[in-house]
Amino acid sequence: MPAEFERFDIATSDTTIHGVRGGTGPPVLLLHGIPETHLMWHRVAPQLAERFTVVATDLRGFGASGKPPSTPDHTPYSMRAIARDQVEVMRALGFERFSVAGHDRGARCAYRMALDHAEAVARLAVLDIVPTGDAFGRADMDFALGYWVWSFLAAPEPVPERLIAAAPSVFVGHMLDSWSQAPDAFSPEVREAYMAQFTDPATVHAICEE
């Protein structure tokens, strides 16, 4: 992210959220997908910062944000809990009401946030996502083969964790390459940052829990 963006680590009710803040104007929160972190916005955030106060965070479990212990029902990694983190971060930064844009898992967090905290969400944009129930309800062979990562990550512990640990760069590289239409969309530095987080067992477990 540009040097003029300020880094922060903010304690929430259950964990700590890492992120960056830059620009001036109406606040907008940017939420990343998988396998990214807040870095996914590194080309967009500076442009938005010309008109907005931009906040980009790592979701709970991702990047430099906290990885709190989970429970048998996975509640600590529900989108409700993840969305609550983000609302608390924005309040800590002085923003009671803000716009939010989310990509992929960040979009799931964003629309859960809009449902649970309607008073806080001024505007909502969701990118590259459809509701989970619709996706699973209409799943066919093409869906199963194209998005097998969903089911794989949701397999019982420790199966996905152990397999990812054996070749994290292969796993992350597959997601970046197969889900992108532009082969050079990710610079080597950004690819390395995304892959690095998957070498941390706590991060991988947290992502699987979610």
Side-chain angles (χ1 to χ4, degrees):
M1 297 293 283
E4 59 268 25
F5 274 68
E6 174 190 359
R7 295 179 178 272
F8 62 76
D9 293 279
I10 292 176
T12 66
S13 300
D14 303 320
T15 190
T16 301
I17 298 299
H18 177 76
V20 296
R21 172 184 176 176
T24 57
V28 58
L29 172 64
L30 304 179
L31 302 174
H32 65 84
I34 186 173
E36 297 96 357
T37 65
H38 74 277
L39 290 175
M40 76 158 283
W41 304 104
H42 72 282
R43 294 176 180 169
V44 176
Q47 298 179 57
L48 289 175
E50 295 174 3
R51 297 174 52 200
F52 300 94
T53 298
V54 176
V55 177
T57 61
D58 293 343
L59 298 175
R60 172 189 297 215
F62 283 79
S65 286
K67 288 88 179 168
S70 192
T71 58
D73 64 0
H74 314 290
T75 297
Y77 287 91
S78 66
M79 283 301 167
R80 174 159 284 151
I82 294 170
R84 185 173 61 246
D85 287 337
Q86 301 300 321
V87 171
E88 292 181 8
V89 164
M90 294 302 279
R91 286 176 180 163
L93 293 173
F95 305 122
E96 293 290 334
R97 189 165 172 80
F98 52 90
S99 298
V100 56
H103 162 71
D104 186 59
R105 290 192 177 190
R108 297 199 188 288
C109 173
Y111 63 64
R112 183 72 260 174
M113 183 189 303
L115 292 169
D116 288 354
H117 306 278
E119 75 289 348
V121 178
R123 292 179 175 83
L124 170 69
V126 294
L127 312 173
D128 299 327
I129 203 69
V130 294
T132 305
D134 289 319
F136 279 135
R138 302 181 186 191
D140 57 12
M141 183 183 74
D142 290 337
F143 179 91
L145 293 176
Y147 294 95
W148 61 268
V149 169
W150 274 21
S151 300
F152 171 70
L153 291 173
E157 180 190 3
V159 173
E161 289 92 338
R162 294 280 180 85
L163 294 177
I164 292 171
S169 63
V170 172
F171 181 65
V172 176
H174 166 77
M175 288 188 281
L176 295 178
D177 295 335
S178 65
W179 294 347
S180 173
Q181 294 181 351
D184 61 347
F186 305 99
S187 70
E189 294 81 6
V190 170
R191 291 177 72 96
E192 180 60 31
Y194 294 159
M195 289 178 179
Q197 69 172 336
F198 280 81
T199 64
D200 174 25
T203 298
V204 173
H205 178 63
I207 290 171
C208 291
E209 284 295 290
E210 185 238 299

